[in-house]
Structures are given as C-alpha cells and as structure tokens.
Amino acid sequence: FITGQYLKQHPELVDRMVQEGHIVGNHTINHPSMPQVDNKKLEQEVLGLDKIFYERYQKHMKYLRPPMGEYSERTLAFMKEIGYKTIFWSFGYLDYDTKNQKGADYAFNYVINNGIYPGSLLLLHAVSKDNAEALDRIIKEVRARGYEIKNLDSLE
C-alpha cells in the first residue's frame, strides 16, 4: 500500500513491485484521517492516486488500506461505492517510526512471536530498515512453520 508521496519519492521501488507482479494497494495521496474528510476529498485522495498510478502503469488499484486504520461506516460504504475493497490487518507494530528502529533481530522475533497464526494479515511498513533486513528470515520461518503466504486476490 503506497501513498502519493511514496510513489513520488520511490518510483523505482514501485516500478519493481509492478514488474515483479505484486499487488500495489492504495493508501491515499496525502494520508488523511478518512473519517475527518468528506466524500469529495476522500474521492480525490483515493481516485487521485489511482489516476497517477494508472497513468504510469496502465493498471488500476483495487484495495485500500485506510491511513492510521481510521474509518467509519460512511468511509467503508464510500470505498465500496467507488469500487474499492478496504483491507485491514490483524498484526502491526510501531515499525513505521524510523527514529525508533530496534534491529532486524527484534523485528524478526516480534513478528514471529506475535503475528504468525492461521489467517493473520501482517502490516509491515516499507520505511522500516529493521523489517527490510528481517523480511527474508520472516518469510522462511513462516513457511518452515507450514504456513502459506498469499496475496490479497486469494482472499476473494
């Protein structure tokens, strides 16, 4: 899930995601609290990012992760109305704080000990150096425990 700023600052990483066949989800242009903005602004935030993404990759986004996990019945209904599926997570931690990284071993142990169970959906932020360094080990350990890693399309 990317924001407009992420696409602008890291186009080479988003290019790679698309080229490798990953699903790139919408996290809005400016990361607003969804319940605090009206439907017009919400539409601009979501469809605005989709437009930029489509112009670059000729693909539309179809999944949205609400910024900060903030939503309301209105925002959920509106996302459905404009054709988006809203995605939430079952596990996340303060990995997005780039000034408070605790090392790859911490990230690995925290994820494995707290986030791995049947049906879990992990939220790991790309800005976390710890996650980037631990991800290969996390994936291998998850698979070693007999779990499958699936993409969002498999949830349909």
Side-chain angles (χ1 to χ4, degrees):
F1 291 91
I2 62 169
T3 61
Q5 182 178 355
Y6 191 88
L7 180 55
K8 190 180 294 183
Q9 291 178 344
H10 304 286
E12 70 290 346
L13 291 176
V14 181
D15 289 350
R16 182 176 163 199
M17 291 175 201
V18 172
Q19 289 166 0
E20 291 180 3
H22 299 286
I23 295 169
V24 179
N26 196 318
H27 199 44
T28 72
I29 291 177
N30 296 301
H31 204 264
S33 170
M34 290 175 56
Q36 294 182 15
V37 297
D38 63 23
N39 285 2
K40 182 177 181 176
K41 176 69 174 165
L42 199 51
E43 184 174 24
Q44 291 169 345
E45 285 286 336
V46 175
L47 295 183
L49 180 56
D50 182 77
K51 181 177 187 268
I52 295 165
F53 188 81
Y54 185 82
E55 287 170 355
R56 186 172 178 102
Y57 303 107
Q58 289 71 57
K59 292 181 177 197
H60 287 288
M61 301 169 127
K62 62 181 178 178
Y63 299 106
L64 173 99
R65 181 168 64 84
M68 300 163 286
E70 296 177 352
Y71 65 95
S72 66
E73 288 182 24
R74 175 187 59 84
T75 63
L76 291 175
F78 187 70
M79 287 300 99
K80 187 174 180 180
E81 183 181 310
I82 64 171
Y84 270 80
K85 290 186 170 114
T86 304
I87 302 295
F88 293 96
W89 56 95
S90 60
F91 168 85
Y93 73 110
L94 299 178
D95 60 340
Y96 54 83
D97 185 351
T98 58
K99 293 182 171 79
N100 189 24
Q101 299 292 292
K102 297 177 180 175
D105 288 339
Y106 175 87
F108 172 82
N109 289 320
Y110 196 81
V111 171
I112 294 301
N113 293 327
N114 297 287
I116 306 304
Y117 46 84
S120 66
L121 204 150
L122 305 178
L123 169 58
L124 302 174
H125 287 85
V127 296
S128 169
K129 181 176 149 253
D130 294 353
N131 287 346
E133 292 174 359
L135 190 57
D136 184 61
R137 285 193 299 157
I138 291 169
I139 291 169
K140 287 176 180 168
E141 181 63 23
V142 165
R143 289 181 173 149
R145 291 182 181 203
Y147 291 104
E148 289 181 77
I149 297 172
K150 297 182 176 184
N151 69 32
L152 293 173
D153 287 343
S154 70
L155 300 176
E156 296 181 1

